[in-house]
Amino acid sequence: MKRRALLCMFVLGLLLPSAASRTIQSPSPSVAAPLVTIPFELVNRHIVLKVQVNNSRPLSFLLDTGDQLAIINLDRARELGLKLQGEIHLGGAGSSISIGAFVTGSSFTIPGFPGFSQPLNAALPIGQMAPRFGQDFDGILGSEFIKQFVVEVDYQARVLKLYDKDKFVYSGPGESIPITLSSAGHPIIEAELTTIGGAPVMGKFVFDIGSGGALALYSPFVRKQNLLGPNLQTIKAIGVGGAGGEVTARIGRVNQLKIGRYTISRPITLFAEDKTGAFADAALVGNIGQQIAGKFRLLLDYSHQRIVFEPNSSYSKSFDRAFSGLALVAEGKDYRTFRVTDLLENSPSTEAGLQIDDVITAIDGKAATDLSLTRILELFERPAAYKLTVRRGVQTLQVTLSPRQLV
């Protein structure tokens, strides 16, 4: 079974939030009360909630509209003694294929939601992405979970609210955007894209809150539109990947993206160059990720084939930010060893004298062990001078990293 299971764009120190400009409208609740309110963490721009598998300890699962099934990390499945059968081939962002197994006779539950239980479908080797994630990465919940409810995603309050899909009535000021679900369970929306110096083009996009980026344009569209010409300012994408491994791409901007009546101005955009994998899909223009989704309170209403968008208070904020030009992973049992895995040439990281395999042990005198990968990446999006303590082999060095705008 060959499938696209996950589009997780981990853009470490490179992708920015998208920009937009409209009047904010206050969220308005639906008529029906939610069945449950579930808190979540936003980890490296990904929604992470706690679930239990067969009454296990709480595990960290990612909510992903770019996935279909309920998936558990293969190593975690083996640790819990789950029954595995057959073989699954996993593809995603990147060109690699991983092999997993079907899960039988196991289910997951959500703490604080009595009476709810849903089968686990597959075990796949997604734990390899935990170092980019910055914590344990135990599983994914996709459309098979989402479509059982109307799912409200409130990024600012860091909560999900689940509503009875048969009783839900929306009465707020937002706009309902029609969706179709692909054969893989992904919501597809139509949006209008205007590239730098180009005319508006309507196209189909995966709406993917499991992607940490803003906007990704797939390689067939990039080639057809000749977008990577000499007049477009771009930088090489580093630290970008997903279930299928590393992504080959450039990073720049488009002029705007319109979703219904909402205009997203000059979002940072990944221009894919992959020849295989999810980002080489000729049937779609691209992928809309969390950095755009996070500007809205969302209502995922698959039973009515729509997603409701309500701008939140971050919608009108400026999104220009700094870039460090480095890619980091978090290693060790507690994910508190922060190692440089890639560097962008002619960027703040190389100007600071950083090298691949350097380990950041302190930032402005604060021990890195007191920080998370998410927190470090947030810091490096700000235009400031950071005093880094770096371990390089047996040496301890002091360097200054000054992130700045690159595109």
Side-chain angles (χ1 to χ4, degrees), residues 136-380:
D136 284 340
F137 187 33
D138 297 314
I140 304 167
L141 303 181
S143 63
E144 292 299 308
F145 168 72
I146 294 169
K147 72 181 183 182
Q148 301 302 314
F149 310 95
V150 173
V151 179
E152 176 183 337
V153 182
D154 189 335
Y155 282 103
Q156 294 191 317
R158 299 290 196 268
V159 296
L160 303 175
K161 294 181 181 180
L162 307 185
Y163 297 90
D164 185 326
K165 64 180 181 179
D166 296 321
K167 298 179 181 178
F168 180 82
V169 178
Y170 179 70
S171 59
E175 182 173 2
S176 294
I177 303 298
I179 65 170
T180 57
L181 293 180
S182 71
S183 60
H186 310 144
I188 308 298
I189 69 172
E190 289 202 355
E192 182 185 275
L193 176 74
T194 305
T195 58
I196 303 297
V201 176
M202 289 296 298
K204 297 178 184 287
F205 296 80
V206 178
F207 189 76
D208 186 3
I209 64 173
S211 164
L215 177 65
L217 300 181
Y218 293 169
S219 54
F221 180 80
V222 171
R223 288 193 299 270
K224 182 178 179 181
Q225 300 291 325
N226 194 28
L227 298 183
L228 289 176
N231 296 327
L232 180 66
Q233 181 183 358
T234 63
I235 55 177
K236 179 184 176 182
I238 63 170
V240 182
E246 295 292 317
V247 169
T248 302
R250 305 287 298 179
I251 290 173
R253 293 180 184 265
V254 296
N255 189 48
Q256 67 178 30
L257 180 75
K258 291 188 68 175
I259 303 172
R261 65 175 183 257
Y262 304 116
T263 299
I264 314 300
S265 299
R266 293 184 59 80
I268 291 295
T269 301
L270 184 141
F271 298 84
E273 298 176 295
D274 286 348
K275 292 181 172 56
T276 60
F279 283 6
D281 187 345
L284 298 168
V285 172
N287 174 291
I288 298 169
Q290 189 280 330
Q291 293 184 39
I292 289 176
K295 300 301 174 189
F296 300 88
R297 171 181 175 256
L298 301 170
L299 289 155
L300 310 176
D301 188 1
Y302 288 6
S303 62
H304 292 97
Q305 296 183 303
R306 65 177 180 171
I307 297 175
V308 180
F309 287 71
E310 285 187 4
N312 61 33
S313 64
S314 70
Y315 180 66
S316 60
K317 291 182 181 178
S318 170
F319 298 105
D320 283 340
R321 47 144 276 199
F323 304 108
S324 64
L326 60 81
L328 287 176
V329 296
E331 299 176 337
K333 186 176 180 180
D334 60 356
Y335 299 99
R336 289 297 186 269
T337 299
F338 302 105
R339 186 179 302 277
V340 177
T341 59
D342 205 352
L343 299 166
L344 183 67
E345 293 183 3
N346 302 315
S347 71
S349 59
T350 54
E351 292 162 3
L354 288 167
Q355 297 181 10
I356 292 175
D357 285 333
D358 282 350
V359 174
I360 297 174
T361 60
I363 300 174
D364 289 340
K366 185 178 182 67
T369 52
D370 294 332
L371 301 169
S372 65
L373 181 61
T374 296
R375 180 58 180 152
I376 291 174
L377 297 178
E378 289 174 348
L379 287 174
F380 290 171

Side-chain angles (χ1 to χ4, degrees), residues 86-105:
E87 188 174 282
I88 296 176
H89 291 238
L90 165 70
S95 59
S96 301
I97 298 293
S98 300
I99 299 174
F102 293 100
V103 176
T104 61

